[in-house]
Amino acid sequence: MSIPVISAREADVLALLGEHLSNAEMAARLFISVRTVESHVSSLLRKLEVPDRRALSRHAGEPTRAERTRPVPALPAPLTAFVGRTRERGELAAAVTERRLVTAVGLGGVGKTRLALAVAADVAGDFADGVCFVDLVPVTDPGRVGAAVAAAMGVGEQPGRGIDDALVAALADRQALLVLDNCEQVHEGVAPFLERLLAACPGIRVLATSRARLMVPFEWVFPVPPLSRVGGGASEAAALFLERAAAVGRAPAPAERDRIAELCERLDGMALAIELAAARWSTLGLDGLTAGLGDQLRILAGGPRADGRHRSVRAVLDWSHDLLEPRDRALLRRVSAFVAPFTAEAAAEVAGFAPLETAAVADGLGRLAEQSLLAVTPSDTGTRYQALETLRQYGTERLTNAGELDDVRSRHLAWCLAGAAGLREGGGTDWRARFDAVAEDLRAALTWSAGRPEQRADACRLARSLAELTFTRNLLGEAQQRYEQVASLAAGADAAAALRQAAGVAGCRRLGDDMYRLHRAAAEAARRAGDAAGAARDLAAAATAAYRFSSTFTGRVPPADEVTGLLAAAREPTGDDDPAVEAALALAEAAVVADAFGAVQGAPDNTAPDTVACAERAVELARRAGDPVARSAALDALSGARSWAGESFAAAAAARARIDILTSAPSAPARTHELIDALAMAAATAVGTGELSAARRWGSRLADRPQLAEVGDHATSWLLVADALAGHTDAVLTSSVRFLDAWEQSGRQRSFSLGPAAASVAMIHGLRGDHEARATWLTITDRTGSEEDHRHGHGAVFDTMVLLHHGDTDAALERIAPEPEQVWKWVCWVWLHWYTALRAEAAVLAGHPDARGRVTAARAVVAGNPIASALVDRAEALLDGDLPRLLATASAFEAADCRYQWSRTLLLAGGEHAATGASALADLGLAPMAARSPHRRRR
């Protein structure tokens, strides 16, 4: 029985039909119109072939194949027909649907890939999330198997985790078939990758092709035999030859089929051997083919170099090779250095030396392509050529035998170095495509050269280029790996510099542990190089990272005594009054001694004035040092210190100054990390000062950063908060989907910015009157941020707004009861003004005896904040019964882009204004506000 294919939204509607909800109730639950619900119901009736809604509700618990938002790529479409293998096709399909891992094993050239593709197409309908094909031929590093699979599945990196972790998280609840082709060359990477993947992702099944089994205990091995020769001229092997021979221009006559069957028998039924022979049919005929194969087969059979698994393929390759002119033989073996499809110009640079003339290379490529020894691939950048993997391996053997291996690989390395340099200098809309076209060759050249002492300098240059290029390409995990590889290949100060770059990339990945480790390693490298000043800077940077980025540590946060020990070592005299060292030390002291960043390890007895003074000193010394990244970091310390002192506007100004400084700074990982952090802080502090338009502007820039493309929770966090406070309901509901998906994909991390974002979504659901959805998001809030932040900071603000909206003034007063001084640590950064103003409003609406005192106290705190000041003015107007002043606050809210509070003000005004306010709330998608009852004085 086939399973109907329905969309994800239709699946949602079907599930709610199972709960017997009306169209209107489903529309409210799914945030769509009633008409859209009706359309989905009609579609379900048609697809499921049932007569009415009652029948649909009975289908709610049955399996469907819903389309995912991130479908896996389609299978490659072979350009030639699949011939034969009826028995193997059925048996392998059955094995794939019954087993977690099936490995199709067989000789090179036997036809494993084509069989796997055919079977994958046959069973694709059994997997809700389809089939994904991953060719491992370009992968030269066993450690990058997971990266190759992630690229094919469209999974990107996540802050705080490697690409393998991100992939496992992305596939944890998916039902898909993963086809891994050509596992033999990286089998030591495939086996552990699959063991981890399949253990964590129960819905994933794998069909692998390899020349040998993967040697894992849960593997089901399926031997792929040669094509059957049973039936003579009507056999599967003969049918393949006939089909391919007809494609080159002349179909064999019926009388020749028995001789063709004999030829296929001599080729052992190997698919590649048969196809290569068929490609020569039109020019050599049966006589030529038979004569060409005879001697070669006898020479290779049973000799000391015989490889039983490759004997027939090697025979046909040897035969094809020997038919070539000497110059084409040289070209075939030399282009085997290329991993990815290459151009004629690239081949000329690598292969164009005696006996080949550079000008003759393009013509030679054409001849090799005509003989099926090279595949031709049209592309946007021109014609490209590629050798099949078996031919690449064969060509490498020939290179070795000809004594040209080191020469050709060195020329290939030089070509890679030049290509990498061109990519570093150039840009354009096609930059990404140009990088992707050569990336695997760069990696292969680096792998070869890194292990050869005589190539160490070039390997270091290539590793540095690849680090920069992968960072630009937003492959942050590889960029960090390459910078660390540079450090292992470089000497002295260059190694320390590379480790600092790696630390900057780790910062972009939100890996505080790695930042700490890499700065310490850079200090050691600098010390070995005799650079005492550099070592001091790196030790100070490590100490700073331990406090400044403590929330991004995935493991152990360094204890205070360890960090202070680093700071003490950094303070040791270097013999040189280096401004950069002084600036780094000042920042570390602001972080560790004065706790400007409010780290969890910080001492509890720091005073705000002392912290501000320490941060100001760091800012001044960073200015003298002339390092924009250092200035940004010092300003971040000052912003934190100002926030502890309750100086919200000064904190916001410091955060925005960072962006101005970094915008014109040279691009580098550390600068990018600082800019991402600066945008987040600018958005957050703008929320704190009531500048919602500015907060949305900075938040939008943060959300658009390419480094955050795969981490929508961090990217959208402050934009969600600003939109929620403004009352942009539709924007919040839309962004919350990306936020939640990304948070779950990233392993449900905690962060100081994720908690407020989740709480803001909960608030919007509360204002909409959807208390079930609000409860769900409050649970998410508990898991995304700090419990204390939610209890005393952002949670108090958002919960109070919901309670006041629904008229529960006593509960609102209780929720925000503590004096700001009692909860300063949680409200001083972003929430001080909101907390203070709402506390005054709750006191007025609940009739608290000290309502006027709270209003007066709040006014002094929030002065300059347009929204918080309007909240306090509104509270006082309500207290005094001053309608004109009350309406004046509505204009203030509207000017501050806070449509929710504008609507609320009109409703509080009552009379003729209430209808306008109610209509405005409805337009925002919010529930009607509870009627305001006269407040009562508390005794």
Side-chain angles (χ1 to χ4, degrees):
M1 177 180 177
S2 63
I3 300 176
V5 181
I6 69 172
S7 71
R9 181 59 81 193
E10 288 170 343
D12 293 338
V13 171
L14 184 60
L16 295 180
L17 282 167
E19 298 179 23
H20 307 289
L21 299 186
S22 68
N23 286 357
E25 290 170 328
M26 287 189 285
R29 183 81 64 88
L30 298 175
F31 315 121
I32 57 179
S33 68
V34 173
R35 180 168 296 180
T36 301
V37 172
E38 293 171 351
S39 175
H40 288 317
V41 171
S42 298
S43 177
L44 287 167
L45 290 170
R46 183 180 67 258
K47 290 183 178 181
L48 297 177
E49 299 179 348
V50 295
D52 52 32
R53 291 170 65 98
R54 180 177 298 178
L56 275 180
S57 67
R58 290 196 293 269
H59 276 267
E62 297 181 4
T64 58
R65 185 153 55 88
E67 298 173 352
R68 293 299 184 102
T69 56
R70 292 183 298 275
V72 294
L75 288 169
L79 300 178
T80 55
F82 184 78
V83 178
R85 296 202 180 278
T86 302
R87 179 185 61 82
E88 295 96 326
R89 189 170 178 173
E91 291 177 356
L92 184 56
V96 166
T97 56
E98 295 170 2
R99 310 282 177 176
R100 297 295 308 285
L101 169 62
V102 179
T103 306
V105 300
L107 311 183
V110 77
K112 301 184 294 295
T113 299
R114 290 302 302 273
L115 176 61
L117 285 172
V119 168
D122 291 343
V123 303
D126 296 332
F127 295 87
D129 296 297
V131 181
C132 180
F133 179 87
V134 184
D135 185 5
L136 296 179
V137 166
V139 181
T140 57
D141 181 356
R144 291 194 57 76
V145 171
V149 175
M153 298 288 286
V155 175
E157 295 179 358
Q158 304 287 345
R161 57 174 53 202
I163 189 65
D164 286 6
D165 294 333
L167 179 64
V168 168
L171 301 185
D173 62 344
R174 299 180 72 174
Q175 296 179 1
L177 174 64
L178 176 62
V179 181
L180 291 184
D181 196 32
N182 295 294
C183 294
E184 58 272 2
Q185 65 175 17
V186 284
H187 63 89
E188 64 269 38
V190 172
F193 166 75
L194 288 181
E195 190 161 4
R196 180 183 179 193
L197 178 74
L198 293 177
C201 306
I204 299 297
R205 295 179 186 267
V206 176
L207 171 58
T209 73
S210 179
R211 295 184 184 176
R213 60 173 298 183
L214 302 178
M215 300 298 290
V216 289
F218 48 89
E219 178 185 26
W220 182 268
V221 178
F222 185 91
V224 179
L227 286 167
S228 172
R229 280 87 70 200
V230 176
S235 67
E236 291 181 343
L240 177 62
F241 185 98
L242 291 168
E243 200 276 342
R244 300 296 191 261
V248 298
R250 181 173 69 87
E256 295 175 303
R257 293 193 175 186
D258 287 340
R259 293 182 64 194
I260 289 172
E262 293 176 5
L263 178 65
C264 292
E265 185 67 42
R266 295 183 65 184
L267 293 175
D268 294 333
M270 297 296 292
L272 175 60
I274 292 171
E275 290 192 344
L276 288 171
R280 303 292 296 177
W281 161 260
S282 62
T283 55
L284 294 178
L286 272 175
D287 291 339
L289 289 172
T290 302
L293 286 175
D295 289 341
Q296 297 297 332
L297 286 172
R298 285 196 297 270
I299 292 171
L300 292 173
R305 292 180 59 203
D307 183 345
R309 295 180 305 160
H310 300 105
R311 183 177 301 167
S312 295
V313 174
R314 189 182 301 280
V316 82
L317 292 177
D318 279 338
W319 162 71
S320 297
H321 175 269
D322 290 346
L323 288 176
L324 299 173
E325 296 291 332
R327 57 182 178 172
D328 289 344
R329 295 180 191 174
L331 181 58
L332 180 64
R333 64 177 180 260
R334 291 173 183 176
V335 296
S336 67
F338 291 99
V339 177
F342 55 89
T343 63
E345 292 78 10
E349 291 188 40
V350 173
F353 61 97
L356 278 176
E357 296 180 2
T358 302
V361 168
D363 187 42
L365 293 173
R367 288 193 297 274
L368 293 176
E370 288 172 0
Q371 297 176 62
S372 299
L373 294 171
L374 290 179
V376 182
T377 307
S379 72
D380 294 338
T381 56
T383 301
R384 291 181 176 270
Y385 301 86
Q386 185 175 28
L388 298 176
E389 176 60 16
T390 303
L391 286 166
R392 282 192 64 242
Q393 295 178 7
Y394 181 82
T396 301
E397 289 184 5
R398 286 287 179 173
L399 275 178
T400 302
N401 294 339
E404 294 180 345
L405 183 61
D406 285 349
D407 193 8
V408 169
R409 288 287 176 86
S410 295
R411 294 173 71 93
H412 179 252
L413 173 61
W415 175 78
C416 287
L417 284 166
L423 285 167
R424 290 170 65 190
E425 296 169 0
T429 57
D430 64 340
W431 185 91
R432 175 176 291 194
R434 290 188 291 116
F435 169 78
D436 290 345
V438 300
E440 291 299 340
D441 276 292
L442 301 184
R443 292 168 179 139
L446 179 56
T447 299
W448 175 79
S449 58
R452 287 165 172 75
E454 70 277 9
Q455 301 285 0
R456 190 180 185 91
D458 283 342
C460 186
R461 286 173 54 208
L462 184 55
R464 184 177 289 106
S465 293
L466 195 52
E468 295 176 7
L469 293 171
T470 51
F471 183 77
T472 302
R473 181 63 175 81
N474 203 31
L475 302 173
L476 302 186
E478 183 177 1
Q480 181 180 329
Q481 172 196 348
R482 298 305 177 190
Y483 276 121
E484 294 193 53
Q485 188 174 17
V486 172
S488 71
L489 294 169
D494 288 342
L499 289 167
R500 292 176 195 125
Q501 297 280 59
V505 181
C508 294
R509 300 177 68 200
R510 296 183 56 81
L511 293 175
D513 317 58
D514 277 5
M515 290 188 72
Y516 181 72
R517 170 182 63 82
L518 290 164
H519 277 303
R520 295 191 66 174
E524 178 59 24
R527 184 194 61 78
R528 289 195 302 267
D531 181 8
R537 290 198 310 273
D538 288 314
L539 288 172
T544 300
Y547 275 53
R548 185 184 180 195
F549 301 113
S550 59
S551 66
T552 67
F553 276 65
T554 58
R556 179 187 73 102
V557 176
D561 57 350
E562 179 178 310
V563 180
T564 55
L566 292 180
L567 183 55
R571 287 169 171 156
E572 294 179 3
T574 63
D576 184 14
D577 294 333
D578 188 333
V581 174
E582 293 182 3
L585 284 171
L587 178 61
E589 289 166 353
V592 178
V593 178
D595 192 26
F597 299 107
V600 295
Q601 314 100 306
D605 56 352
N606 294 304
T607 67
D610 289 342
T611 303
V612 170
C614 194
E616 286 178 333
R617 178 173 177 270
V619 171
E620 174 58 23
L621 290 174
R623 185 192 63 78
R624 294 178 190 175
D627 181 351
V629 172
R631 289 182 65 191
S632 171
L635 282 167
D636 191 29
L638 181 59
S639 182
R642 293 291 189 189
S643 72
W644 296 135
E647 301 172 12
S648 301
F649 294 101
R656 295 177 186 181
R658 296 174 62 193
I659 298 175
D660 294 337
I661 291 169
L662 293 167
T663 299
S664 58
S667 180
R671 176 260 187 189
T672 300
H673 175 219
E674 280 292 328
L675 183 57
I676 290 172
D677 186 74
L679 288 170
M681 294 303 100
T685 52
V687 167
T689 55
E691 299 168 275
L692 295 185
S693 294
R696 296 184 71 249
R697 183 169 67 252
W698 301 127
S700 295
R701 283 186 60 181
L702 181 69
D704 291 339
R705 291 298 303 179
Q707 294 81 12
L708 302 180
E710 300 296 335
V711 284
D713 48 353
H714 291 282
T716 61
S717 56
W718 288 110
L719 186 57
L720 270 171
V721 172
D723 278 336
L725 290 170
H728 297 161
T729 307
D730 288 344
V732 172
L733 296 178
T734 299
S735 295
S736 68
V737 174
R738 179 186 175 191
F739 176 92
L740 185 57
D741 285 347
W743 178 67
E744 290 177 340
Q745 292 286 341
S746 65
R748 301 186 175 187
Q749 296 178 323
R750 290 182 182 271
S751 168
F752 71 90
S753 63
L754 299 184
S760 72
V761 179
M763 180 193 73
I764 286 295
H765 284 298
L767 297 180
R768 295 178 69 248
D770 190 340
H771 300 295
E772 182 179 348
R774 180 172 184 251
T776 298
W777 276 92
L778 286 176
T779 300
I780 295 169
T781 301
D782 291 340
R783 298 175 181 174
T784 52
S786 160
E787 179 183 350
E788 293 297 315
D789 282 345
H790 183 255
R791 181 184 305 165
H792 301 301
H794 60 76
V797 168
F798 291 133
D799 289 350
T800 299
M801 289 180 65
V802 173
L803 292 168
L804 290 176
H805 182 89
H806 293 291
D808 196 347
T809 56
D810 288 342
L813 191 66
E814 183 65 26
R815 183 68 179 89
I816 208 162
E819 296 282 348
E821 292 79 9
Q822 294 178 278
V823 292
W824 67 271
K825 187 173 183 179
W826 297 280
V827 302
C828 62
W829 177 48
V830 172
W831 310 109
L832 176 61
H833 291 179
W834 293 91
Y835 186 94
T836 305
L838 288 170
R839 192 167 180 268
E841 179 175 328
V844 169
L845 292 176
H848 191 278
D850 191 31
R852 191 170 298 280
R854 290 192 178 183
V855 168
T856 302
R859 189 176 304 286
V861 173
V862 306
N865 183 319
I867 296 176
S869 294
L871 286 170
V872 174
D873 287 344
R874 185 175 69 189
E876 189 170 47
L878 289 170
L879 186 63
D880 295 337
D882 188 340
L883 181 60
R885 190 177 178 193
L886 180 65
L887 293 175
T889 66
S891 299
F893 286 126
E894 189 170 28
D897 188 29
C898 194
R899 293 284 294 177
Y900 167 66
Q901 294 295 349
W902 171 77
S903 304
R904 176 172 165 76
T905 301
L906 296 179
L907 280 162
L908 289 171
E912 60 182 336
H913 308 289
T916 302
S919 176
L921 276 183
D923 290 343
L924 293 176
L926 302 180
M929 199 174 76
R932 181 171 70 93
S933 58
H935 65 259
R936 60 188 184 282
R937 292 285 182 183
R938 292 193 174 195
R939 296 184 181 275

